[in-house]
Amino acid sequence: MCPITISPFSFLEQIRELQGLPKPDLNNLLSKSSILEFVDNEVIFHRGDTAEFFYFVIEGKVSMGECSKTGREALNCVAGKNDLFCCLPALDLNPYPVTAISVGSSKVIRINTKIFQEICLRHPTIYQKFVARVCTNIREIEQRHGQRMESATSRIALLLVGLNKKSSHPIRLTRAEIAKLVGVTVETAIRTLRQFDKKGIIQSERGLIKVIDK
């Protein structure tokens, strides 16, 4: 993990939930924040670690989940550019509920949770917008867990449609990441996406999926 020297100010200004925050408060938040770079498969934090910070992705991807004693990985979510990740500690200051790992090279901004909460006490609207985003993230995870009884095809389709609603940009997920998110084998994910591609429902290439027909 290597701290780098570029300013995070312009990045935070474009975060929807922080828009409208007065400049002095934004500067105060930045004074306790850092931009960090991680290499592939580097742990950003472990489940159970003290949660002094929460994070936004500037570049790359970060996966969050757990690995069982048998070595099987359970993936809760994958955060991409501009995504907030492991947001619950920013609200309750309890330990991290999952382990976060860099997927490839990534760059993130690390924000002090206590300073953020002090700012939110002065600006309830900022806090409300932040809570709404946290609730959206939690709802998406719960919906995926609730879909476990659906067919593999339905689970993958619902995941892609949900991600497509969040952004018009191509979805940056590998077949392996999709498989872990919806609880199927990688082979099943590959076969299903190939079928979607042949039917013209999606266009896919390595690590990128564009939804053509929702």
Side-chain angles (χ1 to χ4, degrees), residues 170-181:
I171 297 164
R172 293 182 175 274
L173 286 178
T174 66
R175 273 63 174 162
E177 288 167 346
I178 289 172
K180 290 174 184 176
L181 282 169

Side-chain angles (χ1 to χ4, degrees), residues 51-54 86-97 113 117:
E52 298 179 48
F53 308 98
F54 66 99
C86 213
C87 38
L88 280 177
L91 300 179
D92 62 14
L93 300 180
N94 284 326
Y96 296 118
T113 51
Q117 288 197 338

Side-chain angles (χ1 to χ4, degrees), residues 93-112:
L93 300 180
N94 284 326
Y96 296 118
V98 292
T99 297
I101 300 175
S102 177
V103 180
S105 298
S106 66
K107 186 185 297 181
V108 307
I109 183 165
R110 186 178 70 180
I111 299 174
N112 185 280

